[in-house]
Amino acid sequence: MASTFFVRAIRPSASAMESSGYVCQACRRHESTYRRTRKALRVKPDPCFLPSKTETQDHIIFNPPSSVPNVYHTPSLFLPSNDPRRTLHTRTSVPSTTPSASTTPSTPPKPIADKRPLPASVRPEYTKKYHLTPEQVEDIRQLRKEDPRKWTRVRLAEKFECSQFFVSLCCSAPEIKAEQDKQLEEIKKRWGRRKTEARDARQERKKLWGQDA
């Protein structure tokens, strides 16, 4: 008797459970069906996009792109009769009282030059230096030749207060270049077919840069 009660407590009878528990989860219909999704996306367009029912002919719609507001952007045709911006257009269109011989009333007024200061430069301004002597250039070559790993372009440029480009013009390190080429070849060996073909196509395009198409 006790064992029967224990089994019933663990496994309740079918009559005690709701019928919805036996519905197949895969057979349930969800909101994301094709018909309901298409019906939800069937939105009516805004009335402003529909043809006008009151006006018999087409008309111009002035809808400029978003930009810095300027009173001169809106044509006077689209301004109300009591808009104060109309006076600005009138001032620019009326010629001066003493026009010169070279100007005509039909000539549009010249835009006023913007006198605002220019923004600061990205990098600080500097002047080029031509202070290195032939002896110092020879020292650069000697240091680069003795120990190219220690005396790199950056260190030589800092020591002699010149640019790295100038150091590259003065001297070079063939052994460093050979090591870098060897490392690059090892990397290229691990490339796949698609990457190899893409790099080859890039080299072919570079050859055509200086040629007429």
Side-chain angles (χ1 to χ4, degrees):
M1 183 67 180
S3 61
T4 305
F5 177 77
F6 183 74
V7 172
R8 288 184 178 180
I10 295 178
R11 300 177 61 185
S13 61
S15 60
M17 299 180 64
E18 297 181 358
S19 60
S20 61
Y22 294 96
V23 178
C24 178
Q25 296 292 334
C27 300
R28 288 185 176 181
R29 294 189 63 185
H30 297 275
E31 185 69 23
S32 58
T33 60
Y34 174 75
R35 182 181 61 82
R36 296 184 182 182
T37 304
R38 187 175 180 182
K39 184 178 179 181
L41 294 176
R42 195 180 299 129
V43 182
K44 293 183 179 180
D46 193 83
C48 63
F49 291 97
L50 299 176
S52 178
K53 298 180 180 179
T54 58
E55 300 181 6
T56 57
Q57 59 183 3
D58 296 336
H59 57 280
I60 301 174
I61 299 176
F62 181 69
N63 186 18
S66 57
S67 59
V68 180
N70 191 339
V71 294
Y72 296 102
H73 286 176
T74 306
S76 58
L77 181 64
F78 298 96
L79 294 176
S81 58
N82 58 349
D83 197 299
R85 289 177 291 179
R86 281 183 171 274
T87 58
L88 298 175
H89 292 279
T90 307
R91 291 174 186 173
T92 56
S93 60
V94 174
S96 59
T97 55
T98 57
S100 60
S102 60
T103 59
T104 58
S106 61
T107 304
K110 295 182 179 180
I112 302 174
D114 194 356
K115 298 182 179 180
R116 291 179 296 178
L118 296 175
S121 58
V122 178
R123 62 180 183 179
E125 298 181 0
Y126 67 97
T127 56
K128 294 184 178 181
K129 298 180 181 180
Y130 302 93
H131 60 286
L132 294 180
T133 60
E135 291 78 10
Q136 291 176 328
V137 173
E138 191 63 31
D139 293 341
I140 292 175
R141 293 173 179 172
Q142 187 66 24
L143 292 173
R144 183 69 168 166
K145 184 178 181 180
E146 290 177 357
D147 193 352
R149 298 185 182 279
K150 177 182 178 181
W151 294 104
T152 59
R153 293 183 183 180
V154 178
R155 295 196 63 181
L156 289 173
E158 292 176 354
K159 178 178 176 61
F160 293 92
E161 297 181 358
C162 61
S163 63
Q164 300 181 28
F165 178 71
F166 182 79
V167 175
S168 65
L169 295 178
C170 294
C171 56
S172 61
E175 57 274 11
I176 300 297
K177 182 67 167 56
E179 292 180 4
Q180 293 178 352
D181 292 342
K182 186 178 180 180
Q183 293 177 1
L184 181 59
E185 291 298 330
E186 293 294 333
I187 294 174
K188 287 183 178 180
K189 290 180 181 179
R190 298 194 295 267
W191 288 356
R193 180 182 59 84
R194 296 181 62 182
K195 190 169 185 178
T196 304
E197 292 178 355
R199 291 303 177 95
D200 293 341
R202 180 188 297 180
Q203 295 298 329
E204 293 297 329
R205 290 196 301 270
K206 285 184 178 180
K207 293 178 182 179
L208 299 176
W209 284 356
Q211 302 178 6
D212 295 334

